[in-house]
Amino acid sequence: MQIERDPNGDFILQPADLAERFGLTSDDFRRKMQKGLLASTVEVGEGEDAGTCRLSLRLGNRLWRAILDSEDRVMSEEMTFVRGQLLRRP
């Protein structure tokens, strides 16, 4: 997977690569992204993890995470399923 940064330092990932990881076609992935169904976070490593970043992208109950080294190369990645939260009734 190719990961780049724009001039502001934001990560740029290819939609086709992400679609594959989520088991979707590129068109389906783009539609979900345009509807605002994709959430992402970036965590910067500290202490012994300094120089690394963890990217997390969530779509529905699926969560893809990648750990990047100091040169933005993928060191590891995983896809997991997130358990839904139970609704509490008043």
PDB file of all heavy atoms in Angstrom, residues 15 25 30 51:
ATOM      1  N   PRO A  15      -7.974   5.275  -2.593  1.00  0.00           N
ATOM      2  CA  PRO A  15      -9.276   4.662  -2.343  1.00  0.00           C
ATOM      3  C   PRO A  15      -9.359   3.205  -2.802  1.00  0.00           C
ATOM      4  O   PRO A  15      -9.979   2.388  -2.129  1.00  0.00           O
ATOM      5  CB  PRO A  15     -10.249   5.543  -3.135  1.00  0.00           C
ATOM      6  CG  PRO A  15      -9.562   6.868  -3.219  1.00  0.00           C
ATOM      7  CD  PRO A  15      -8.095   6.531  -3.324  1.00  0.00           C
ATOM      8  N   THR A  25     -16.039  -2.674  -3.762  1.00  0.00           N
ATOM      9  CA  THR A  25     -15.545  -2.153  -5.032  1.00  0.00           C
ATOM     10  C   THR A  25     -15.116  -0.704  -4.796  1.00  0.00           C
ATOM     11  O   THR A  25     -15.554  -0.063  -3.832  1.00  0.00           O
ATOM     12  CB  THR A  25     -16.639  -2.182  -6.121  1.00  0.00           C
ATOM     13  OG1 THR A  25     -17.680  -1.268  -5.743  1.00  0.00           O
ATOM     14  CG2 THR A  25     -17.190  -3.586  -6.326  1.00  0.00           C
ATOM     15  N   ARG A  30     -16.150   4.684  -2.563  1.00  0.00           N
ATOM     16  CA  ARG A  30     -16.263   6.136  -2.778  1.00  0.00           C
ATOM     17  C   ARG A  30     -17.638   6.661  -2.368  1.00  0.00           C
ATOM     18  O   ARG A  30     -17.751   7.727  -1.779  1.00  0.00           O
ATOM     19  CB  ARG A  30     -15.972   6.473  -4.234  1.00  0.00           C
ATOM     20  CG  ARG A  30     -14.512   6.517  -4.545  1.00  0.00           C
ATOM     21  CD  ARG A  30     -14.239   7.191  -5.883  1.00  0.00           C
ATOM     22  NE  ARG A  30     -12.824   7.298  -6.083  1.00  0.00           N
ATOM     23  CZ  ARG A  30     -12.101   6.478  -6.821  1.00  0.00           C
ATOM     24  NH1 ARG A  30     -12.680   5.475  -7.443  1.00  0.00           N
ATOM     25  NH2 ARG A  30     -10.808   6.649  -6.949  1.00  0.00           N
ATOM     26  N   GLY A  51       8.165   8.363  16.482  1.00  0.00           N
ATOM     27  CA  GLY A  51       8.526   8.215  15.071  1.00  0.00           C
ATOM     28  C   GLY A  51       7.536   7.365  14.293  1.00  0.00           C
ATOM     29  O   GLY A  51       7.642   7.257  13.076  1.00  0.00           O
TER      30      GLY A  51
END
